[in-house]
Amino acid sequence: MGLLVLLLSALAGATLLSTFTLALTEDGKTLLEIKGALNDSRSFLRNWKASDDNPCNWTGISCHPHDQRVSSINLPYMQLGGIISPSIGKLSRLQRLALHQNSLHGSIPTELTYCTELKALYLRANYLQGIIPPEIGNLSHLTILDLSSNSLKGSIPPSIGRLTHLRFLNLSTNFLSGEIPNFGMLVTFGKKSFIGNLDLCGHQIQKPCLSSLGFPAELPHAEANEAPVPTKRVPHYLNGVLIGAMSAMGLVLMLLLVFLWVCLLSRKERVAKKYTEVKKQVGRDPGIKLITFQGDLPYSSSEIIEKLESLDEEDVVGSGGFGTVYKMVMNDYSTFAVKRIDRSCEGSDKIFERELEILGSIKHINLVNLRGYCRLTNVKLLIYDYVALGSLDHFLHENEQEHLNWNARLRTALGSARGLAYLHHDCCPRIVHRDIKSSNILLDEDLEPHVSDFGLSELLVDEDAHVTTVVAGTFGYLAPEYLQSGQATEKSDVYSYGVLLLELVTGKRPNDPSFVKKGLNIVGWMNTLVRERRLEDIVDKRCTDADVGTVEVVLDIASRCTNANPDARPSMSEVLQILEEEVMSPCPSEFSESHSDRL
Ligand SMILES: *[C@@H]1O[C@H](CO)[C@@H](O)[C@H](O)[C@H]1NC(C)=O
Ligand SMILES: *[C@@H]1O[C@H](CO)[C@@H](O)[C@H](O)[C@H]1NC(C)=O
Ligand SMILES: *[C@@H]1O[C@H](CO)[C@@H](O)[C@H](O)[C@H]1NC(C)=O
Ligand SMILES: *[C@@H]1O[C@H](CO)[C@@H](O)[C@H](O)[C@H]1NC(C)=O
């Protein structure tokens, strides 16, 4: 009997104890320990409370959907002081740690390397001291490592070279010294990842490692024994370096020649292909000409021309930068968009047609497909695939019934980046769009974005192009250097893309009266609000599904794209990489689910 009572009371005690300990998850407690080591003078973390069940609703925290473990800590621009607590190592499922632009000091805790799933580590712009822990090379999923603008000392641990997924590395503006290890992934990063350090040398920054006497010197690595894979050592003699540099230059020259040759060849090939692709040229009237491109139009020329000739006011669906757009429905109900070009074209008709041929050969899911070209006496018509939902501009700003939720906007950002990166990096010759804006992004039934009007600005001249684009409202999208010089580059496209991202986040046009009144454009306005950490004022109120993590990533990319200095902007492929890593990978399932109930 006594035993039973004892047993019962022990059980009661145990359940009592467990209800207490269940109050907050282990991850929640860990976060409170981390908070304890921070100086949150502005009380941004006031909703981090021990009385909650789990920390998933706390400022800056996101969790894995199934087990409620912490997946991401996003606390940039929070004016946090103090140190990063070693307790962080207990968050074993952490994938993203963003503490950039704070006032943290102390060192980077080696315990951080127990967060074995970590993919992105942003500690930029703090006052972190000490060395870069060599154990960081054990974070095998790391894709983004930004430790720039701190007070880190010592040499760069070779173990970083083992991070095979690393796509972005920035160790700039610290006090690092010694030779940059010529090993593994570290070989793939250039000057921009290492600038502004105390005394670094090595291939990556084109600075040979020499002693003060001009002799090659072996500079000690912090824990050089770290490198587990035998590294290929560069000969430590000036001769070796010179020969190395010369042969590298030779190699680069050869690669360049091969590249040029391939470029020329594929262009030639395309021109040659033209004659096979020009399937339908009708001779009924010398003023009429129809050319169809790859992908073909399964109709007779006379049927197409008849349809084209019958287009009138009632078929108008919009007016783009280059002229009126019509909707053309064939007898089998297939639908196409027809663009009537109002501008004159540069050079002869022959050149115009050849260039169109190149545009017609470009196929990508995120680019609007050009199907054909038709000249009817003195009008020029371009035939495109019809994209059902119309322009993003219309959807964001004029559609009262439906709106795009945050996941759909992310999808638009990603798809547009894919299309643009294709034009910039995979087309030969490369294509600068020159007029990226929301009215040139078209959405299909699945809300997949398609970039339209690429390649046309180069083909068509308009005496008052400068003036008309400004009047047309493109103004807010144009990079400052483009406005000044009229010279469009890939980097001016990147700027416009950055503005497009801001438009997606804010739901406001770049020339919205609310900031024009204050003498700002959308970029200046965003920078002000981000500095004041007023995220809730930035994000479109209609995006109820927006999460701080991805908003933060998109704003970060937008602010880099809209940097006033074109050289500081990322390339479209870099933008795409960051978006794919940061926005898509964490929870693709969540993404496609919300896609089905997107409106
Ligand atoms: C926290 O920061 C504030 C201002 O940033 C400072 O005045 C205060 O002394 C700091 N507190 C601690 C405990 O470091
Ligand atoms: C988070 O907050 C929302 C409302 O703001 C609430 O519905 C939800 O239950 C909370 N989730 C957790 C895990 O506390
Ligand atoms: C890296 O991880 C291995 C186990 O995977 C461990 O044995 C080693 O000590 C770690 N290295 C450092 C420097 O922590
Ligand atoms: C790294 O940061 C520095 C300083 O903030 C910047 O100038 C540099 O462009 C960055 N490098 C890369 C690769 O982004």
Side-chain angles (χ1 to χ4, degrees):
M1 194 62 181
L3 198 69
L4 197 66
V5 170
L6 215 95
L7 240 165
L8 276 175
S9 61
L11 257 173
T15 46
L16 203 69
L17 203 75
S18 64
T19 46
F20 273 130
T21 48
L22 267 181
L24 181 59
T25 58
E26 285 303 317
D27 276 1
K29 287 182 200 159
T30 303
L31 286 172
L32 289 180
E33 286 169 27
I34 292 169
K35 179 182 172 180
L38 297 173
N39 181 357
D40 177 24
S41 52
R42 303 279 296 265
S43 303
F44 285 120
L45 308 182
R46 59 182 165 270
N47 70 356
W48 289 32
K49 286 186 304 232
S51 54
D52 291 339
D53 294 343
N54 71 40
C56 303
N57 272 359
W58 292 357
T59 303
I61 303 300
S62 316
C63 293
H64 292 278
H66 301 301
D67 55 9
Q68 307 284 302
R69 296 288 314 272
V70 171
S71 64
S72 125
I73 302 180
N74 273 292
L75 300 169
Y77 298 92
M78 290 271 191
Q79 299 170 32
L80 297 172
I83 64 161
I84 305 172
S85 163
S87 302
I88 192 120
K90 289 192 268 182
L91 299 175
S92 57
R93 301 218 48 211
L94 191 67
Q95 293 184 337
R96 171 182 163 84
L97 178 62
L99 296 172
H100 47 289
Q101 306 279 352
N102 280 298
S103 305
L104 300 170
H105 53 91
S107 55
I108 301 172
T110 52
E111 288 79 359
L112 187 60
T113 56
Y114 301 147
C115 305
T116 50
E117 293 184 16
L118 202 64
K119 287 183 185 166
L121 180 58
Y122 295 99
L123 298 176
R124 182 185 77 225
N126 279 291
Y127 304 106
L128 297 170
Q129 296 151 346
I131 60 162
I132 301 174
E135 292 86 349
I136 216 158
N138 273 8
L139 292 171
S140 58
H141 295 286
L142 207 59
T143 52
I144 296 172
L145 177 60
D146 191 349
L147 304 178
S148 60
S149 303
N150 278 292
S151 307
L152 299 167
K153 287 195 309 252
S155 56
I156 297 174
S159 61
I160 291 181
R162 290 202 310 243
L163 299 170
T164 49
H165 288 99
L166 201 62
R167 297 272 170 74
F168 178 87
L169 173 71
N170 202 342
L171 305 177
S172 297
T173 48
N174 277 293
F175 300 102
L176 299 168
S177 56
E179 184 182 358
I180 303 170
N182 193 32
F183 161 66
M185 291 305 284
L186 276 166
V187 176
T188 62
F189 296 97
K191 244 187 178 133
K192 273 185 159 180
S193 296
F194 304 103
I195 45 175
N197 272 294
L198 185 64
D199 192 15
L200 281 175
C201 62
H203 279 233
Q204 292 88 335
I205 53 174
Q206 288 117 42
K207 188 177 163 200
C209 297
L210 299 172
S211 75
S212 56
L213 292 173
F215 287 113
E218 275 270 1
L219 288 158
H221 296 302
E223 290 163 65
N225 54 348
E226 251 297 291
V229 184
T231 59
K232 220 177 86 201
R233 308 278 314 175
V234 185
H236 275 267
Y237 304 100
L238 186 56
N239 274 351
V241 170
L242 272 178
I243 291 169
M246 275 162 73
S247 58
M249 266 168 65
L251 196 72
V252 165
L253 208 73
M254 240 173 75
L255 281 175
L256 206 73
L257 281 174
V258 168
F259 175 76
L260 277 175
W261 183 67
V262 168
C263 235
L264 278 173
L265 197 75
S266 62
R267 199 168 171 148
K268 247 193 210 154
E269 260 173 13
R270 280 205 199 103
V271 173
K273 242 201 262 167
K274 175 188 169 188
Y275 298 102
T276 58
E277 275 167 36
V278 179
K279 292 200 181 105
K280 294 158 188 165
Q281 271 196 34
V282 276
R284 194 171 54 155
D285 175 339
I288 296 183
K289 185 173 196 181
L290 176 70
I291 304 177
T292 57
F293 305 129
Q294 254 177 45
D296 214 356
L297 286 166
Y299 311 98
S300 69
S301 316
S302 47
E303 187 181 352
I304 297 174
I305 288 170
E306 194 180 304
K307 283 285 171 195
L308 288 172
E309 281 176 331
S310 68
L311 293 175
D312 62 20
E313 248 97 280
E314 285 181 17
D315 303 309
V316 171
V317 286
S319 59
F322 302 99
T324 316
V325 184
Y326 300 84
K327 180 176 175 176
M328 175 171 77
V329 184
M330 306 305 290
N331 293 337
D332 63 358
Y333 299 106
S334 298
T335 311
F336 297 91
V338 175
K339 183 165 284 185
R340 197 186 69 203
I341 303 291
D342 293 338
R343 294 194 195 171
S344 54
C345 41
E346 214 158 42
S348 70
D349 277 2
K350 274 238 145 49
I351 294 174
F352 177 71
E353 282 162 19
R354 193 186 321 137
E355 296 290 330
L356 274 186
E357 201 78 49
I358 294 177
L359 296 185
S361 72
I362 295 174
K363 305 289 166 200
H364 187 276
I365 165 105
N366 295 114
L367 298 173
V368 178
N369 192 9
L370 177 62
R371 293 284 196 129
Y373 160 71
C374 184
R375 194 181 67 212
L376 290 178
T377 349
N378 36 23
V379 267
K380 290 189 169 65
L381 300 165
L382 298 178
I383 307 170
Y384 287 99
D385 281 353
Y386 185 74
V387 187
L389 296 186
S391 80
L392 175 66
D393 178 69
H394 173 80
F395 232 88
L396 277 181
H397 309 298
E398 273 149 42
N399 195 332
E400 303 276 303
Q401 289 94 45
E402 300 170 303
H403 68 265
L404 291 174
N405 72 12
W406 179 240
N407 271 312
R409 292 181 199 210
L410 287 178
R411 186 185 173 84
T412 309
L414 200 66
S416 314
R418 285 207 180 104
L420 262 181
Y422 186 80
L423 292 175
H424 285 186
H425 302 288
D426 298 327
C427 286
C428 190
R430 294 171 164 210
I431 292 178
V432 176
H433 189 293
R434 296 171 184 234
D435 201 12
I436 290 294
K437 53 182 172 180
S438 57
S439 55
N440 275 338
I441 309 289
L442 308 182
L443 301 174
D444 67 17
E445 297 91 336
D446 298 326
L447 291 181
E448 188 68 38
H450 303 257
V451 177
S452 77
D453 273 7
F454 55 89
L456 290 188
S457 328
E458 254 161 297
L459 281 185
L460 304 167
V461 284
D462 183 337
E463 291 71 41
D464 309 314
H466 225 59
V467 182
T468 35
T469 38
V470 171
V471 172
T474 309
F475 179 68
Y477 293 96
L478 299 185
E481 79 279 0
Y482 181 23
L483 270 175
Q484 260 172 22
S485 67
Q487 196 70 43
T489 62
E490 277 112 337
K491 288 301 173 80
S492 58
D493 272 0
V494 169
Y495 183 96
S496 309
Y497 177 79
V499 175
L500 184 81
L501 286 183
L502 292 179
E503 190 173 352
L504 284 168
V505 174
T506 60
K508 290 183 162 73
R509 286 208 169 94
N511 51 359
D512 190 273
S514 67
F515 30 86
V516 171
K517 256 193 326 228
K518 294 180 194 140
L520 295 168
N521 59 10
I522 195 166
V523 175
W525 177 76
M526 184 248 346
N527 286 334
T528 321
L529 292 193
V530 166
R531 223 175 293 127
E532 295 167 12
R533 187 68 212 168
R534 283 161 56 193
L535 263 192
E536 66 281 8
D537 294 342
I538 299 178
V539 180
D540 190 342
K541 299 278 183 292
R542 295 172 293 179
C543 292
T544 48
D545 61 332
D547 65 295
V548 183
T550 49
V551 169
E552 163 66 37
V553 171
V554 173
L555 283 178
D556 192 46
I557 298 172
S559 82
R560 287 167 57 193
C561 290
T562 54
N563 195 308
N565 173 7
D567 295 331
R569 294 174 205 150
S571 68
M572 270 328 288
S573 65
E574 284 166 336
V575 167
L576 183 58
Q577 245 167 28
I578 303 174
L579 274 176
E580 283 182 337
E581 295 293 337
E582 292 290 297
V583 174
M584 277 302 270
S585 57
C587 34
S589 57
E590 221 174 78
F591 188 80
S592 49
E593 264 164 43
S594 50
H595 162 55
S596 55
D597 58 31
R598 77 258 163 167
L599 295 176

